[in-house]
Amino acid sequence: VQARKLLRFPQQHSMPKLCCITGEVGVGKSFKIRKIIAEAQQRGDGVVQICVLDSLDVLSIILDLFKLEASNVKHALIYFNLSLQSPLSDVNQMLFDFLVSGTLSD
C-alpha cells in the first residue's frame, strides 16, 4: 500500500504572485531567472527549484515544499522549470491544484 501525501496551505496565505518568463533563445531568460533567485536568497526568502522534464513527480514536489514550510521563512520563491517534453496536461492540473485550491496530492 502506497501512502498518499497531501500538502494543504493555510487559508491566511494570499494568492501567490505568478511570473512567467518566456522568450527566444539568447534573450536573457536564464539571466533574469538567476537574478530573481539571487535577490530572493539575499532577502532571506526560501527558494525551491522544481524541474519537470518528461514526467511529473508530484511526491518529490510535495516533499520539497514540506522542507520549505519547515524552514519557517516569511516569503518563498518557487521556480518551476518546465521542459518542452513535460506532460503539460499533468502540469496544468498540478498548478491549478497548487495555485487555486492550495493543495497537492500524489
Side-chain angles (χ1 to χ4, degrees):
V1 176
Q2 183 181 21
R4 292 186 58 103
K5 299 269 186 221
L6 175 68
L7 181 63
R8 184 172 304 278
F9 297 96
Q11 294 298 341
Q12 71 265 22
H13 286 280
S14 61
M15 183 59 140
K17 178 181 173 184
L18 183 62
C19 175
C20 296
I21 298 175
T22 64
E24 299 293 323
V25 173
V27 297
K29 298 179 300 294
S30 296
F31 176 81
K32 179 67 173 174
I33 292 166
R34 283 192 298 272
K35 182 178 176 186
I36 291 169
I37 290 172
E39 289 170 354
Q41 290 171 329
Q42 287 175 348
R43 288 190 305 269
D45 297 348
V47 176
V48 173
Q49 297 183 55
I50 297 169
C51 185
V52 181
L53 299 174
D54 58 352
S55 65
L56 179 63
D57 184 1
V58 177
L59 179 58
S60 71
I61 294 171
I62 291 171
L63 294 175
D64 285 341
L65 295 175
F66 273 137
K67 290 178 198 170
L68 179 64
E69 183 181 42
S71 68
N72 291 319
V73 292
K74 186 173 181 179
H75 299 283
L77 170 70
I78 303 169
Y79 163 52
F80 289 92
N81 182 5
L82 305 177
S83 162
L84 291 175
Q85 290 78 30
S86 62
L88 294 180
S89 61
D90 294 341
V91 171
N92 285 338
Q93 182 63 53
M94 185 267 308
L95 288 174
F96 177 83
D97 292 344
F98 181 64
L99 296 173
V100 176
S101 304
T103 61
L104 283 179
S105 63
D106 67 334

